Amino acid sequence: MNLISYKRAAAICHKFSSLRILVVGDLMLDHWVWGDVSRICPEAPVPVVNVSHYSYTLGGAANVAANLRALGAKVDIAGIVGADDAGRRLRLLLRRLDIGIEGLFAQEELPTIMKSRIIANNQQVVRADVEACHSPQESVFRRVADYIKEHHKKYQAVVFSDYNKGLLWNDQAAQLIQLIEDVPIIAGPKPSNVKSFFGIDTITLNASEGFQATGHNTGTVDGLALAGETLLKKTNCKNAIITLSARGMALFSASQPMVKVPALASQVYDVSGAGDTVLSVIALCRACGISPEEAIRLASHAAAIVVRKVGTATVDCTELTASLENRPTESLFSPEHKILSLAEAKDMVKCWKQESPSKRIVFTNGCFDILHAGHLRTLLAARKEGDALIVGLNSDDSVRRLKGETRPINPQQERAVLLAALECVDAVVIFDEDTPSRLIEAFQPDIHVKGGDYREEDLPEAKIVHSYGGKIVLASLLPGHSTTDIIVKAQNKPL
């Protein structure tokens, strides 16, 4: 599914090379240790990683700068690093990308933040951080401020990348923002610093940050709407964007209702740095006057590319437009994006729980051969039990074993699309077994809903639900409504 046409995306991306952007924020160096595992350490129950090579990439605000540069813009960076080897390496990486570092200053007592990740068989094993989070010396902070004051008018946008490491603490962000005149400011603030970004063009936060900043549960539709409204009131920003991981992203503007776009990645290998990519695309779009709604559509495509890569990766305009080329722009209401494999649905549940640990996941299952009012009543009742509903759908082979060779009437893909088109359904997973036990083991839903024609003690999956503390709910049925009844009536046979 495309959220924006290839032609429009190409036209927008073409503008990026004419832009010059200033990035202000907390800089980091990412250190990667790559290898594989073939044994467990005899000294402790941990894997032994056979190291094959090392690599270094830009992190934090520096990764935002790298993303902007990859997308074709000219980029300068303002911030503080330590006077150490990591700081020198970070400067070297920035220079190699032709990112201006005149606004980058060193502080003797401050170590450059470095995150070391050990990757074994493309799986992160452990991370070790070197950092000392505190406000910079006043004299060094003033040098950053003086650079911004002197040079800000040569930029088409200023991007603040806040990782809560010290540069933008207290009122320091507000001080720097006051120095910037007639240039759009786009920021990725941490929740504790949101009020410092008062009156800027656009802020972006993830779902967890949105909850922390507002106190509203971004895992529900109503909570998300309240979180967006609260952010706009707190900050007086023109736009607030909340990224929702596997659920896409939401845009809030004072002039229009909430706008949501879906996530597009079918495979997710690494979400680290995806927020930086979204912030970068939004900033470039706003810098050249693109509407916030078009900006989030393009950003969703960029994020889908980045999460398929391992590490804090970037995306360039060639990749971005190629992902859209020769693919029709489909309606945002197309239900196919809700039809997931078991692995995709499992990842989605994991993301939901990470974003909002209190989110209640509901699961139900069935053949849903001819979707009718009785089915709808059960699905609506199931959705009311929690915050998200996953429907397990029996495959055609499974239905034949359960109902006979003349069934199903409708093939599995058509049944899946009809279910996915319902607003109360968040995901549909087709399964080939006779029972949904494997799906329940994978998702571990808080609530498993079945029709009232079952008894809890007769459900083969009941033991699994109880094993992790889940709850079974039997929904009341709508009398006189069943697929069998409909088939009999269609054949003009008496019931």
Side-chain angles (χ1 to χ4, degrees), residues 363 365 431 434-441 448 450 461:
F363 176 84
N365 68 281
F431 66 98
D434 293 344
T435 75
S437 296
R438 187 164 66 102
L439 272 61
I440 290 173
E441 286 178 343
H448 176 37
K450 291 293 289 184
E461 63 267 26

Side-chain angles (χ1 to χ4, degrees), residues 1-13 264 297-302 305 317-330:
M1 177 175 66
N2 283 353
L3 306 178
I4 186 171
S5 71
Y6 166 77
K7 184 177 180 180
R8 180 58 179 158
I12 294 172
C13 288
L264 298 173
R297 293 186 182 194
L298 192 61
S300 187
H301 280 282
I305 296 168
C317 286
T318 300
E319 287 180 288
L320 185 50
T321 53
S323 72
L324 292 153
E325 193 171 12
N326 299 322
R327 291 170 56 187
T329 303
E330 299 177 22

Side-chain angles (χ1 to χ4, degrees), residues 216-486:
H216 296 295
N217 181 6
T218 55
T220 67
V221 174
D222 291 342
L224 178 61
L226 288 171
E229 291 172 11
T230 303
L231 281 174
L232 291 176
K233 289 178 182 177
K234 271 190 173 184
T235 64
N236 197 34
C237 292
K238 293 180 182 178
N239 311 291
I241 295 168
I242 300 179
T243 60
L244 305 168
S245 191
R247 294 183 293 127
M249 61 183 76
L251 165 68
F252 303 89
S253 303
S255 59
Q256 65 180 29
M258 176 177 69
V259 175
K260 283 187 70 178
V261 299
L264 298 173
S266 57
Q267 290 179 307
V268 177
Y269 293 110
D270 194 339
V271 297
S272 59
D276 294 340
T277 300
V278 170
L279 177 60
S280 301
V281 174
I282 298 296
L284 291 172
C285 287
R286 297 302 291 151
C288 54
I290 303 303
S291 72
E293 183 171 347
E294 274 197 312
I296 64 170
R297 293 186 182 194
L298 192 61
S300 187
H301 280 282
I305 296 168
V306 166
V307 297
R308 295 188 186 108
K309 304 178 181 181
V310 177
T312 48
T314 60
V315 59
D316 60 36
C317 286
T318 300
E319 287 180 288
L320 185 50
T321 53
S323 72
L324 292 153
E325 193 171 12
N326 299 322
R327 291 170 56 187
T329 303
E330 299 177 22
S331 167
L332 292 181
F333 300 102
S334 175
E336 277 84 356
H337 70 275
K338 290 188 191 177
I339 304 171
L340 307 176
S341 68
L342 175 58
E344 289 171 338
K346 189 176 179 180
D347 286 343
M348 184 177 68
V349 171
K350 183 179 179 181
C351 289
W352 283 342
K353 288 296 187 181
Q354 287 175 341
E355 291 170 3
S356 178
S358 62
K359 189 181 182 99
R360 293 178 303 164
I361 310 299
V362 184
F363 176 84
T364 191
N365 68 281
C367 300
F368 299 99
D369 193 0
I370 299 176
L371 197 62
H372 54 70
H375 289 143
L376 183 59
R377 177 170 175 169
T378 299
L379 292 167
L380 290 170
R383 182 61 177 80
K384 288 179 182 179
E385 292 288 338
D387 304 306
L389 174 61
I390 302 174
V391 178
L393 178 67
N394 289 81
S395 69
D396 290 347
D397 288 341
S398 177
V399 173
R400 274 189 286 273
R401 290 194 301 270
L402 295 171
K403 303 291 186 178
E405 288 299 318
T406 60
R407 302 280 295 276
I409 302 299
N410 294 305
Q412 62 191 39
Q413 194 61 30
E414 292 182 12
R415 291 183 283 126
V417 170
L418 288 171
L419 286 169
L422 297 176
E423 185 179 3
C424 62
V425 175
D426 294 278
V428 178
V429 182
I430 299 171
F431 66 98
D432 199 44
E433 298 84 5
D434 293 344
T435 75
S437 296
R438 187 164 66 102
L439 272 61
I440 290 173
E441 286 178 343
F443 306 144
Q444 295 196 1
D446 301 280
I447 300 161
H448 176 37
V449 175
K450 291 293 289 184
D453 53 339
Y454 289 91
R455 295 190 309 167
E456 185 170 332
E457 56 268 29
D458 295 333
L459 294 174
E461 63 267 26
K463 186 176 180 180
I464 299 170
V465 176
H466 295 150
S467 69
Y468 60 81
K471 176 184 175 184
I472 293 176
V473 172
L474 301 179
S476 60
L477 298 179
L478 189 62
H481 288 75
S482 74
T483 299
T484 301
D485 291 346
I486 293 172

Side-chain angles (χ1 to χ4, degrees), residues 187-191 194 203-207 209-210 213 231 240-244:
K190 287 301 179 185
V194 161
I203 59 172
T204 69
L205 298 93
N206 63 35
E209 291 166 342
L231 281 174
I241 295 168
I242 300 179
T243 60
L244 305 168

